[in-house]
Amino acid sequence: MKDSNGNPVQGRTRWRRFAAVVIPAAVVAGGLMTGVAQGKVPVALNVSGQSFKISANELTGTGFTQYGSVAVKKDGTQIPVAASGIKSAELVNLCQSVVVVPGHLSLVIRAGRTDGHPATAQNLLIGMDALAGDATFTNIDIGTDASALSKDGFSSHGQTGAFGQEADKVEIHNLKQRAYSTNAGTFTLTGLSMKVDLTGYECFADSALD
């Protein structure tokens, strides 16, 4: 991140707090769902409603945006999320886990564990409710109208008058996030490994997001 003088700024990011402040207020006001109905807010449809965890040693992305959105279950239940769009991303030592039976069964996916061969994604859109890591943003604009965001390359974003932020580049070390949906134009999982874990293993503990 850079300040008003153009100097880089780094910080530890706890985006669950961002989601807690921005999203419920927008949902209560009805703005988000109005935007969804009008096709102005991208929304993940027919999600399971079960969260999953994603971690990486490092995420490097160009064209970053973030704003309030919703994920919608098949029965119509709406889940408030912070939507993060990234035009192009690289993830080193990617881990994704979803618990099937707590303490007994989980599905674990790994990729990008070989030096110089990260997992990559193009046109990435994540609906999350919690994120932690050590983040650096380049040329960040905080407080941009969510409908005017553009740096991730997507054609639509948040509702007019809602809070948004965007940056030319984002780097997050020790990334940990809890998400309800992930969409990408292309997702290349270099060195893919997928297995069923009979201990209920997760990529990180819930306490890592506190």
Side-chain angles (χ1 to χ4, degrees):
M1 180 165 54
K2 292 188 177 181
D3 59 21
S4 59
N5 295 318
N7 299 314
V9 177
Q10 297 181 342
R12 181 130 181 109
T13 301
R14 299 290 188 181
W15 282 341
R16 178 165 55 184
R17 297 174 185 172
F18 164 81
V21 171
V22 175
I23 296 172
V27 172
V28 170
L32 273 179
M33 291 315 299
T34 298
V36 170
Q38 296 174 348
K40 297 178 180 178
V41 177
V43 56
L45 296 173
N46 296 327
V47 300
S48 69
Q50 181 178 1
S51 63
F52 53 94
K53 294 178 178 178
I54 300 172
S55 68
N57 288 3
E58 181 180 351
L59 179 151
T60 302
T62 57
F64 167 84
T65 65
Q66 190 174 66
Y67 51 94
S69 187
V70 291
V72 181
K73 296 174 63 175
K74 190 173 182 179
D75 64 5
T77 301
Q78 301 157 11
I79 304 171
V81 295
S84 289
I86 303 177
K87 190 172 185 179
S88 177
E90 294 186 350
L91 301 101
V92 176
N93 192 22
L94 171 68
C95 175
Q96 177 177 308
S97 63
V98 58
V99 174
V100 180
V101 181
H104 295 282
L105 185 65
S106 62
L107 177 65
V108 182
I109 296 174
R110 297 183 182 276
R113 291 182 286 176
T114 303
D115 288 347
H117 298 280
T120 62
Q122 306 295 322
N123 301 321
L124 179 65
L125 184 62
I126 304 169
M128 70 181 81
D129 73 344
L131 183 149
D134 300 308
T136 301
F137 300 89
T138 302
N139 294 330
I140 189 169
D141 295 316
I142 300 173
T144 300
D145 189 297
S147 67
L149 299 171
S150 62
K151 292 188 177 182
D152 60 10
F154 289 99
S155 60
S156 59
H157 297 87
Q159 180 68 6
T160 300
F163 178 94
Q165 56 186 357
E166 61 182 354
D168 289 345
K169 184 177 180 181
V170 58
E171 295 181 15
I172 305 176
H173 294 267
N174 303 316
L175 167 73
K176 297 176 181 66
Q177 70 180 17
R178 184 173 61 221
Y180 289 91
S181 65
T182 298
N183 298 283
T186 304
F187 208 159
T188 303
L189 300 178
T190 308
L192 172 65
S193 169
M194 180 177 67
K195 71 173 184 177
V196 173
D197 189 283
L198 299 181
T199 68
Y201 174 87
E202 297 185 84
C203 297
F204 57 87
D206 289 336
S207 59
L209 296 171
D210 292 337

